[in-house]
């Protein structure tokens, strides 16, 4: 449930006010950095985004967007959801397969739309990044800017980059992912935690024979599994994960590809063919990591968002979805408070308890992927969970923006300098 808006907030909702700060710097042009940039510009903020990559390349894997993430994107800018649906694939059926590629069970995916008001959409990370970037003027995204750190005082924050440039801002948002340098300064909690799960994923264009249009597939192996996603425009994503104490990376792309093929020698030909058809350099290899939840994301004029704030295992598919919640809620908090200090405090209050529970459940979920049927049954017998899986999913998917206020509506009612 959303925390109820206080009486003070309700009054402020009805007021028109000006942006609380002049300049906002965002580190990271990933999904979170771009989404919060779109949201803040809707409210009239001067926003600049700094990204370490030299250009926007077709990278990243396939993602599932769920009703909560889509609801928050819609509240930021309704056109975003239309563009994403056009770019990705609305899932009609989910399919469980064995590792020979044979279908074991199918389920209609209509419950997402029927129960939570949005469909399940599968999309390529890169397409999503492009959709978000298309809503911003190109000259506010500064590529080739790797942030090294920052310093702040009562008057502002100075941000340092590896190309020698120094930028001043009134507010700094660290949206720089799980290895965030902004978090490193604020929280100093060292390296992410490896969850004994390795990941390999790729997006390809090929004539695959395992999935029909509108399907999302899950292949259950033995201590390993694979997701199969149609991600729109004829592109297809596979995501393979494997229980592994060893989190070392392969030496080169060819070694990455042969490593996966060696793991799936006994899998069916249609599934092996997907990996074989994938150019080695397109396969992303990486350990699945998270961090333990913390009780604060901000210090002074600096705050965190997305994976920088609450990195989580992908088991519940909530990394990007909860990041879109953050983007809206940070902008919303800035639109409702009388000072940026109060806004950041409200943002943390709204976000930290919810993301803490999602982080914790995601880490547990990652290990459950690898249980055998008998292990899962034994656990379920012993478990006396206070909240069932279904109830937890309900609390995630049905989450809506506070008071369903869309940022564009706040803007239209006169909130702009
Ligand atoms: C295998 C896998 C499957 C997943 N599946 C799903 C899913 O189905 N659904 C879902 O919702 N989520 C999923 N996720 C999680 C999702 O991808 C992330 O939660 C989401 O991308 C986080 O967005 P972000 O903007 O916070 O971070 P990122 O996407 O990591 O973006 C951070 C950006 O900051 C830039 N950057 C980093 N450091 C610096 C620096 N020092 N200076 C400047 N720029 C910097 C990076 O280049 C990058 O562009 C999955 C993740 C994995 C690993």
């Amino acid at each position: 449930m959303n925390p109820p808006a206080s009486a003070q907030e309700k009054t402020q909702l009805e007021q028109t006010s000006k942006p609380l700060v002049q300049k906002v710097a965002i580190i990271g042009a990933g999904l979170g950095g771009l989404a919060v940039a779109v949201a803040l510009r809707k409210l009239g903020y001067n926003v600049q985004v700094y990204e370490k990559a030299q250009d926007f390349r077709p990278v990243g894997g396939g993602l599932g967007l769920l009703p909560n993430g889509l609801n928050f994107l819609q509240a930021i800018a309704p056109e975003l959801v239309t563009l994403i649906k056009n770019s990705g694939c609305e899932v009609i059926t989910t399919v469980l397969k064995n590792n020979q590629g044979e279908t074991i069970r199918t389920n209609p995916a209509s419950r997402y739309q029927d129960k939570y008001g949005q469909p399940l959409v599968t999309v390529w990370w890169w397409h999503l990044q492009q959709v978000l970037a298309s809503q911003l003027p190109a000259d506010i995204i500064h590529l080739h800017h790797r942030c090294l750190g920052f310093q702040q005082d009562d008057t502002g924050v100075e941000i340092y980059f590896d190309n020698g440039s120094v930028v001043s801002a009134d507010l700094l948002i660290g949206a720089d992912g799980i290895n965030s340098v902004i978090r490193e300064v604020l929280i100093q909690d060292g390296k992410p935690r490896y969850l004994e799960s390795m990941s390999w994923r790729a997006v390809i264009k090929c004539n695959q024979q395992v999935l029909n249009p509108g399907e999302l597939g899950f292949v259950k192996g033995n201590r390993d599994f694979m997701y199969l996603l149609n991600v729109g425009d004829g592109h297809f994503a596979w995501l393979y994960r494997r229980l592994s104490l060893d989190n070392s990376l392969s030496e080169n792309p060819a070694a990455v590809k042969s490593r996966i093929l060696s793991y799936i020698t006994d899998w069916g030909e249609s599934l092996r063919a997907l990996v074989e058809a994938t150019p080695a350099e397109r396969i992303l290899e990486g350990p699945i990591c998270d961090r333990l939840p913390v009780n604060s994301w901000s210090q002074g004029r600096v705050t965190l968002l997305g994976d920088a704030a609450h990195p989580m295992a992908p088991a519940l598919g909530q990394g990007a979805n909860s990041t879109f919640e953050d983007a809206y809620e940070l902008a919303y908090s800035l639109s409702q408070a009388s000072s940026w200090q109060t806004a950041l405090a409200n943002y943390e209050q709204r976000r930290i308890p919810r993301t803490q529970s999602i982080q914790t459940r995601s880490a547990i979920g990652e290990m459950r992927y690898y249980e055998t049927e008998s292990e899962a049954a034994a656990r379920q017998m012993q478990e006396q969970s206070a909240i069932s899986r279904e109830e937890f999913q309900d609390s995630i998917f049905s989450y809506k923006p506070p008071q369903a206020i869309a940022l564009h509506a706040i803007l239209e009612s006169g909130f702009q300098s």
Side-chain angles (χ1 to χ4, degrees), residues 4-20 40 43 45 328-344 346-347 350 401-411 413 415:
S6 67
Q8 193 191 8
E9 274 179 345
K10 275 186 192 143
T11 327
Q12 283 162 354
L13 238 187
E14 287 146 23
Q15 291 173 359
T16 57
S17 56
K18 290 187 175 176
L20 298 175
L40 289 175
L43 297 174
Y45 279 81
Y328 176 88
E329 294 265 17
L330 179 53
Y332 178 79
S333 296
L334 284 162
S335 79
Q336 300 302 299
S338 53
S339 70
W340 58 262
Q341 291 91 335
T342 310
L344 294 188
N346 289 347
Y347 165 64
R350 287 181 179 284
Q403 300 168 25
I405 300 288
L407 293 177
H408 63 95
I410 296 175
L411 178 65
S413 70
F415 183 91

Short mmCIF file of all heavy atoms in Angstrom, two decimals, residues 4-20 40 43 45 328-344 346-347 350 401-411 413 415:
data_model
loop_
_atom_site.label_atom_id
_atom_site.label_comp_id
_atom_site.label_asym_id
_atom_site.label_seq_id
_atom_site.Cartn_x
_atom_site.Cartn_y
_atom_site.Cartn_z
N PRO A 4 -0.29 6.94 3.12
CA PRO A 4 -1.24 7.99 2.84
C PRO A 4 -0.56 9.35 2.79
O PRO A 4 0.40 9.59 3.52
CB PRO A 4 -2.22 7.92 4.02
CG PRO A 4 -1.49 7.17 5.08
CD PRO A 4 -0.47 6.31 4.42
N ALA A 5 -1.02 10.21 1.92
CA ALA A 5 -0.44 11.55 1.84
C ALA A 5 -0.84 12.32 3.10
O ALA A 5 -1.96 12.20 3.58
CB ALA A 5 -0.97 12.26 0.60
N SER A 6 0.11 13.06 3.67
CA SER A 6 -0.20 13.83 4.87
C SER A 6 -1.09 15.01 4.50
O SER A 6 -1.20 15.39 3.34
CB SER A 6 1.09 14.34 5.49
OG SER A 6 1.66 15.28 4.61
N ALA A 7 -1.72 15.60 5.55
CA ALA A 7 -2.58 16.76 5.31
C ALA A 7 -1.79 17.87 4.66
O ALA A 7 -2.25 18.55 3.74
CB ALA A 7 -3.17 17.23 6.63
N GLN A 8 -0.52 18.01 5.12
CA GLN A 8 0.33 19.06 4.56
C GLN A 8 0.55 18.83 3.07
O GLN A 8 0.45 19.74 2.25
CB GLN A 8 1.66 19.05 5.30
CG GLN A 8 2.48 20.29 5.03
CD GLN A 8 3.90 20.11 5.56
OE1 GLN A 8 4.29 19.02 5.98
NE2 GLN A 8 4.65 21.18 5.54
N GLU A 9 0.81 17.57 2.70
CA GLU A 9 1.04 17.26 1.29
C GLU A 9 -0.19 17.58 0.46
O GLU A 9 -0.09 18.09 -0.64
CB GLU A 9 1.36 15.78 1.13
CG GLU A 9 2.81 15.46 1.33
CD GLU A 9 3.07 13.98 1.17
OE1 GLU A 9 2.09 13.20 1.20
OE2 GLU A 9 4.22 13.62 1.04
N LYS A 10 -1.38 17.27 1.04
CA LYS A 10 -2.60 17.51 0.27
C LYS A 10 -2.73 18.99 -0.05
O LYS A 10 -3.11 19.37 -1.14
CB LYS A 10 -3.81 17.02 1.05
CG LYS A 10 -4.05 15.54 0.81
CD LYS A 10 -5.32 15.10 1.48
CE LYS A 10 -5.40 13.59 1.50
NZ LYS A 10 -5.99 13.07 2.70
N THR A 11 -2.37 19.84 0.95
CA THR A 11 -2.47 21.27 0.71
C THR A 11 -1.49 21.65 -0.39
O THR A 11 -1.83 22.39 -1.31
CB THR A 11 -2.10 22.06 1.98
OG1 THR A 11 -2.53 21.31 3.08
CG2 THR A 11 -2.72 23.41 1.99
N GLN A 12 -0.27 21.10 -0.26
CA GLN A 12 0.74 21.48 -1.23
C GLN A 12 0.39 21.00 -2.63
O GLN A 12 0.76 21.60 -3.62
CB GLN A 12 2.10 20.94 -0.80
CG GLN A 12 2.68 21.78 0.31
CD GLN A 12 3.78 21.05 1.05
OE1 GLN A 12 4.03 19.88 0.79
NE2 GLN A 12 4.42 21.73 1.98
N LEU A 13 -0.33 19.88 -2.67
CA LEU A 13 -0.75 19.38 -3.97
C LEU A 13 -1.55 20.42 -4.73
O LEU A 13 -1.46 20.53 -5.94
CB LEU A 13 -1.65 18.16 -3.76
CG LEU A 13 -1.28 16.86 -4.39
CD1 LEU A 13 -2.37 15.86 -4.19
CD2 LEU A 13 -0.92 17.01 -5.82
N GLU A 14 -2.34 21.15 -3.97
CA GLU A 14 -3.22 22.12 -4.62
C GLU A 14 -2.49 23.42 -4.95
O GLU A 14 -3.02 24.28 -5.62
CB GLU A 14 -4.42 22.41 -3.70
CG GLU A 14 -5.38 21.24 -3.69
CD GLU A 14 -6.05 21.06 -2.34
OE1 GLU A 14 -6.12 22.03 -1.58
OE2 GLU A 14 -6.47 19.94 -2.04
N GLN A 15 -1.28 23.58 -4.40
CA GLN A 15 -0.55 24.82 -4.68
C GLN A 15 0.21 24.70 -5.99
O GLN A 15 0.54 23.61 -6.43
CB GLN A 15 0.48 25.09 -3.59
CG GLN A 15 -0.13 25.45 -2.27
CD GLN A 15 0.96 25.54 -1.20
OE1 GLN A 15 2.12 25.29 -1.48
NE2 GLN A 15 0.54 25.87 -0.01
N THR A 16 0.52 25.84 -6.57
CA THR A 16 1.48 25.82 -7.66
C THR A 16 2.78 26.34 -7.08
O THR A 16 2.78 27.23 -6.25
CB THR A 16 1.05 26.72 -8.82
OG1 THR A 16 0.88 28.03 -8.32
CG2 THR A 16 -0.23 26.23 -9.44
N SER A 17 3.88 25.76 -7.45
CA SER A 17 5.15 26.23 -6.90
C SER A 17 6.23 26.10 -7.96
O SER A 17 6.02 25.53 -9.03
CB SER A 17 5.52 25.44 -5.65
OG SER A 17 5.54 24.08 -5.96
N LYS A 18 7.40 26.60 -7.62
CA LYS A 18 8.50 26.56 -8.57
C LYS A 18 9.43 25.42 -8.21
O LYS A 18 9.43 24.96 -7.08
CB LYS A 18 9.27 27.88 -8.48
CG LYS A 18 8.48 29.04 -9.02
CD LYS A 18 9.33 30.27 -9.08
CE LYS A 18 8.54 31.37 -9.75
NZ LYS A 18 9.26 32.63 -9.75
N PRO A 19 10.27 24.99 -9.17
CA PRO A 19 11.27 23.97 -8.81
C PRO A 19 12.06 24.39 -7.59
O PRO A 19 12.38 25.56 -7.40
CB PRO A 19 12.14 23.91 -10.06
CG PRO A 19 11.23 24.30 -11.17
CD PRO A 19 10.31 25.34 -10.60
N LEU A 20 12.39 23.43 -6.74
CA LEU A 20 13.05 23.72 -5.46
C LEU A 20 14.53 24.00 -5.62
O LEU A 20 15.16 24.54 -4.72
CB LEU A 20 12.86 22.55 -4.50
CG LEU A 20 11.41 22.22 -4.13
CD1 LEU A 20 11.35 20.96 -3.26
CD2 LEU A 20 10.78 23.39 -3.39
N LEU A 40 11.66 14.83 -14.15
CA LEU A 40 11.99 16.15 -13.60
C LEU A 40 11.81 17.25 -14.64
O LEU A 40 11.41 18.37 -14.32
CB LEU A 40 13.42 16.15 -13.06
CG LEU A 40 13.60 15.33 -11.77
CD1 LEU A 40 15.06 15.27 -11.36
CD2 LEU A 40 12.76 15.91 -10.63
N LEU A 43 8.50 18.63 -14.74
CA LEU A 43 8.21 19.58 -13.66
C LEU A 43 8.98 20.88 -13.82
O LEU A 43 8.99 21.71 -12.91
CB LEU A 43 8.53 18.94 -12.31
CG LEU A 43 7.69 17.70 -11.97
CD1 LEU A 43 8.17 17.06 -10.69
CD2 LEU A 43 6.21 18.08 -11.84
N TYR A 45 12.33 21.27 -14.23
CA TYR A 45 13.70 21.31 -13.70
C TYR A 45 14.73 21.34 -14.82
O TYR A 45 14.54 20.74 -15.87
CB TYR A 45 13.97 20.08 -12.82
CG TYR A 45 13.42 20.22 -11.42
CD1 TYR A 45 12.07 19.97 -11.16
CD2 TYR A 45 14.22 20.63 -10.37
CE1 TYR A 45 11.55 20.12 -9.89
CE2 TYR A 45 13.71 20.78 -9.09
CZ TYR A 45 12.38 20.53 -8.86
OH TYR A 45 11.86 20.70 -7.60
N TYR A 328 9.58 8.26 -10.54
CA TYR A 328 8.35 9.03 -10.34
C TYR A 328 8.31 9.61 -8.92
O TYR A 328 8.00 10.79 -8.72
CB TYR A 328 7.12 8.15 -10.58
CG TYR A 328 5.85 8.92 -10.28
CD1 TYR A 328 5.25 9.68 -11.27
CD2 TYR A 328 5.30 8.93 -9.01
CE1 TYR A 328 4.12 10.42 -11.00
CE2 TYR A 328 4.18 9.68 -8.72
CZ TYR A 328 3.59 10.41 -9.73
OH TYR A 328 2.48 11.17 -9.45
N GLU A 329 8.61 8.77 -7.94
CA GLU A 329 8.45 9.19 -6.54
C GLU A 329 9.43 10.31 -6.18
O GLU A 329 9.10 11.17 -5.36
CB GLU A 329 8.66 7.99 -5.61
CG GLU A 329 7.60 6.92 -5.76
CD GLU A 329 6.45 7.06 -4.76
OE1 GLU A 329 6.28 8.13 -4.17
OE2 GLU A 329 5.73 6.06 -4.60
N LEU A 330 10.62 10.28 -6.75
CA LEU A 330 11.56 11.37 -6.45
C LEU A 330 11.03 12.68 -7.03
O LEU A 330 11.02 13.72 -6.35
CB LEU A 330 12.96 11.03 -7.01
CG LEU A 330 14.04 12.09 -6.79
CD1 LEU A 330 14.17 12.50 -5.33
CD2 LEU A 330 15.41 11.57 -7.29
N ALA A 331 10.56 12.62 -8.27
CA ALA A 331 10.00 13.83 -8.88
C ALA A 331 8.75 14.28 -8.12
O ALA A 331 8.57 15.47 -7.83
CB ALA A 331 9.66 13.56 -10.35
N TYR A 332 7.92 13.33 -7.76
CA TYR A 332 6.69 13.66 -7.03
C TYR A 332 7.03 14.32 -5.69
O TYR A 332 6.44 15.33 -5.32
CB TYR A 332 5.89 12.37 -6.80
CG TYR A 332 4.62 12.58 -5.99
CD1 TYR A 332 3.48 13.10 -6.59
CD2 TYR A 332 4.58 12.26 -4.64
CE1 TYR A 332 2.32 13.29 -5.85
CE2 TYR A 332 3.44 12.45 -3.90
CZ TYR A 332 2.31 12.98 -4.50
OH TYR A 332 1.18 13.17 -3.76
N SER A 333 8.01 13.76 -4.98
CA SER A 333 8.39 14.34 -3.68
C SER A 333 8.90 15.76 -3.87
O SER A 333 8.58 16.65 -3.07
CB SER A 333 9.49 13.49 -3.02
OG SER A 333 8.99 12.21 -2.74
N LEU A 334 9.67 15.99 -4.93
CA LEU A 334 10.15 17.36 -5.19
C LEU A 334 9.00 18.29 -5.55
O LEU A 334 9.05 19.49 -5.30
CB LEU A 334 11.20 17.35 -6.30
CG LEU A 334 12.58 16.83 -5.86
CD1 LEU A 334 13.43 16.43 -7.06
CD2 LEU A 334 13.32 17.88 -5.03
N SER A 335 7.94 17.74 -6.14
CA SER A 335 6.81 18.59 -6.54
C SER A 335 5.90 18.91 -5.34
O SER A 335 5.09 19.82 -5.42
CB SER A 335 5.98 17.92 -7.63
OG SER A 335 5.13 16.93 -7.08
N GLN A 336 6.05 18.17 -4.24
CA GLN A 336 5.12 18.33 -3.13
C GLN A 336 5.70 19.04 -1.91
O GLN A 336 4.96 19.52 -1.07
CB GLN A 336 4.62 16.96 -2.66
CG GLN A 336 3.90 16.18 -3.73
CD GLN A 336 2.71 16.93 -4.27
OE1 GLN A 336 1.78 17.25 -3.53
NE2 GLN A 336 2.72 17.25 -5.55
N ALA A 337 7.04 19.04 -1.79
CA ALA A 337 7.64 19.55 -0.55
C ALA A 337 7.96 21.04 -0.68
O ALA A 337 8.00 21.60 -1.77
CB ALA A 337 8.91 18.77 -0.25
N SER A 338 8.22 21.66 0.47
CA SER A 338 8.56 23.08 0.45
C SER A 338 10.08 23.29 0.42
O SER A 338 10.54 24.40 0.26
CB SER A 338 7.97 23.78 1.68
OG SER A 338 8.37 23.08 2.83
N SER A 339 10.85 22.22 0.60
CA SER A 339 12.31 22.35 0.48
C SER A 339 12.86 21.04 -0.09
O SER A 339 12.22 19.98 0.05
CB SER A 339 12.94 22.60 1.85
OG SER A 339 12.83 21.44 2.64
N TRP A 340 14.04 21.13 -0.70
CA TRP A 340 14.61 19.88 -1.24
C TRP A 340 14.96 18.92 -0.11
O TRP A 340 14.91 17.70 -0.30
CB TRP A 340 15.79 20.16 -2.17
CG TRP A 340 16.95 20.91 -1.59
CD1 TRP A 340 17.19 22.26 -1.70
CD2 TRP A 340 18.03 20.41 -0.79
NE1 TRP A 340 18.33 22.61 -1.03
CE2 TRP A 340 18.89 21.49 -0.46
CE3 TRP A 340 18.35 19.14 -0.32
CZ2 TRP A 340 20.03 21.34 0.32
CZ3 TRP A 340 19.51 18.99 0.45
CH2 TRP A 340 20.33 20.08 0.76
N GLN A 341 15.30 19.44 1.08
CA GLN A 341 15.63 18.56 2.20
C GLN A 341 14.42 17.69 2.56
O GLN A 341 14.53 16.47 2.74
CB GLN A 341 16.04 19.38 3.43
CG GLN A 341 17.38 20.09 3.29
CD GLN A 341 17.24 21.51 2.73
OE1 GLN A 341 16.26 21.82 2.04
NE2 GLN A 341 18.22 22.36 3.00
N THR A 342 13.25 18.34 2.64
CA THR A 342 12.03 17.57 2.96
C THR A 342 11.71 16.60 1.83
O THR A 342 11.29 15.46 2.07
CB THR A 342 10.84 18.54 3.16
OG1 THR A 342 11.25 19.54 4.07
CG2 THR A 342 9.60 17.84 3.65
N ALA A 343 11.92 17.06 0.61
CA ALA A 343 11.61 16.19 -0.53
C ALA A 343 12.45 14.91 -0.48
O ALA A 343 11.93 13.80 -0.68
CB ALA A 343 11.86 16.94 -1.83
N LEU A 344 13.75 15.05 -0.20
CA LEU A 344 14.60 13.85 -0.15
C LEU A 344 14.20 12.94 1.01
O LEU A 344 14.20 11.71 0.87
CB LEU A 344 16.09 14.24 -0.06
CG LEU A 344 16.69 14.95 -1.27
CD1 LEU A 344 18.20 15.10 -1.11
CD2 LEU A 344 16.38 14.24 -2.58
N ASN A 346 11.20 12.66 2.27
CA ASN A 346 9.93 11.99 1.88
C ASN A 346 10.18 10.87 0.86
O ASN A 346 9.55 9.81 0.91
CB ASN A 346 8.95 13.00 1.29
CG ASN A 346 8.41 13.94 2.34
OD1 ASN A 346 8.57 13.70 3.55
ND2 ASN A 346 7.77 15.02 1.93
N TYR A 347 11.07 11.17 -0.07
CA TYR A 347 11.43 10.16 -1.10
C TYR A 347 11.94 8.88 -0.42
O TYR A 347 11.49 7.77 -0.72
CB TYR A 347 12.47 10.78 -2.03
CG TYR A 347 13.22 9.82 -2.93
CD1 TYR A 347 12.57 9.07 -3.91
CD2 TYR A 347 14.62 9.70 -2.83
CE1 TYR A 347 13.28 8.22 -4.75
CE2 TYR A 347 15.33 8.85 -3.67
CZ TYR A 347 14.66 8.11 -4.62
OH TYR A 347 15.37 7.26 -5.45
N ARG A 350 9.17 7.01 1.38
CA ARG A 350 8.25 6.30 0.48
C ARG A 350 8.90 5.06 -0.14
O ARG A 350 8.24 4.07 -0.42
CB ARG A 350 7.83 7.21 -0.68
CG ARG A 350 6.86 8.28 -0.31
CD ARG A 350 6.51 9.08 -1.55
NE ARG A 350 5.55 10.11 -1.26
CZ ARG A 350 4.26 9.92 -1.06
NH1 ARG A 350 3.77 8.70 -1.13
NH2 ARG A 350 3.47 10.92 -0.81
N PRO A 401 1.08 4.97 -8.50
CA PRO A 401 1.60 6.28 -8.10
C PRO A 401 0.70 6.91 -7.05
O PRO A 401 -0.52 6.71 -7.08
CB PRO A 401 1.57 7.11 -9.38
CG PRO A 401 1.54 6.11 -10.48
CD PRO A 401 0.84 4.90 -9.95
N PRO A 402 1.27 7.68 -6.10
CA PRO A 402 0.47 8.27 -5.05
C PRO A 402 -0.66 9.11 -5.63
O PRO A 402 -0.42 9.96 -6.48
CB PRO A 402 1.45 9.15 -4.27
CG PRO A 402 2.71 9.16 -5.05
CD PRO A 402 2.69 8.05 -6.03
N GLN A 403 -1.84 8.84 -5.19
CA GLN A 403 -3.05 9.58 -5.59
C GLN A 403 -3.23 9.63 -7.11
O GLN A 403 -3.92 10.51 -7.62
CB GLN A 403 -3.01 10.99 -5.03
CG GLN A 403 -2.94 11.00 -3.53
CD GLN A 403 -2.60 12.37 -3.00
OE1 GLN A 403 -2.87 13.37 -3.65
NE2 GLN A 403 -2.04 12.43 -1.83
N ALA A 404 -2.53 8.71 -7.79
CA ALA A 404 -2.63 8.64 -9.25
C ALA A 404 -2.46 9.99 -9.92
O ALA A 404 -3.09 10.30 -10.92
CB ALA A 404 -3.95 7.99 -9.68
N ILE A 405 -1.60 10.84 -9.34
CA ILE A 405 -1.34 12.14 -9.96
C ILE A 405 -0.28 11.97 -11.03
O ILE A 405 0.82 11.50 -10.76
CB ILE A 405 -0.81 13.15 -8.91
CG1 ILE A 405 -1.82 13.35 -7.80
CG2 ILE A 405 -0.42 14.47 -9.55
CD1 ILE A 405 -3.02 14.13 -8.18
N ALA A 406 -0.58 12.31 -12.23
CA ALA A 406 0.42 12.22 -13.29
C ALA A 406 1.22 13.51 -13.32
O ALA A 406 0.68 14.59 -13.12
CB ALA A 406 -0.27 11.99 -14.63
N LEU A 407 2.53 13.36 -13.56
CA LEU A 407 3.38 14.55 -13.54
C LEU A 407 2.96 15.56 -14.59
O LEU A 407 3.01 16.75 -14.38
CB LEU A 407 4.84 14.15 -13.76
CG LEU A 407 5.45 13.33 -12.62
CD1 LEU A 407 6.87 12.91 -12.98
CD2 LEU A 407 5.47 14.12 -11.33
N HIS A 408 2.52 15.05 -15.74
CA HIS A 408 2.12 16.00 -16.77
C HIS A 408 0.90 16.79 -16.32
O HIS A 408 0.74 17.96 -16.67
CB HIS A 408 1.87 15.29 -18.10
CG HIS A 408 0.74 14.31 -18.05
ND1 HIS A 408 -0.52 14.61 -18.43
CD2 HIS A 408 0.73 13.03 -17.62
CE1 HIS A 408 -1.28 13.53 -18.26
NE2 HIS A 408 -0.55 12.57 -17.76
N ALA A 409 0.06 16.17 -15.44
CA ALA A 409 -1.11 16.90 -14.94
C ALA A 409 -0.68 17.99 -13.96
O ALA A 409 -1.23 19.09 -13.94
CB ALA A 409 -2.07 15.94 -14.27
N ILE A 410 0.36 17.69 -13.14
CA ILE A 410 0.87 18.71 -12.22
C ILE A 410 1.40 19.88 -13.03
O ILE A 410 1.13 21.04 -12.75
CB ILE A 410 2.00 18.13 -11.33
CG1 ILE A 410 1.44 17.02 -10.43
CG2 ILE A 410 2.63 19.22 -10.46
CD1 ILE A 410 2.48 16.29 -9.61
N LEU A 411 2.11 19.56 -14.10
CA LEU A 411 2.69 20.61 -14.94
C LEU A 411 1.58 21.44 -15.58
O LEU A 411 1.60 22.67 -15.55
CB LEU A 411 3.55 19.96 -16.04
CG LEU A 411 4.18 20.91 -17.03
CD1 LEU A 411 5.19 21.81 -16.33
CD2 LEU A 411 4.87 20.14 -18.14
N SER A 413 -1.25 21.99 -14.50
CA SER A 413 -1.98 22.84 -13.57
C SER A 413 -1.11 24.01 -13.11
O SER A 413 -1.43 24.69 -12.17
CB SER A 413 -2.45 22.02 -12.36
OG SER A 413 -1.34 21.66 -11.58
N PHE A 415 2.50 24.10 -12.62
CA PHE A 415 3.74 23.90 -11.87
C PHE A 415 4.91 24.06 -12.81
O PHE A 415 5.40 23.12 -13.39
CB PHE A 415 3.72 22.50 -11.26
CG PHE A 415 4.94 22.21 -10.41
CD1 PHE A 415 4.93 22.49 -9.07
CD2 PHE A 415 6.08 21.71 -10.98
CE1 PHE A 415 6.06 22.24 -8.30
CE2 PHE A 415 7.21 21.46 -10.23
CZ PHE A 415 7.19 21.73 -8.90
#
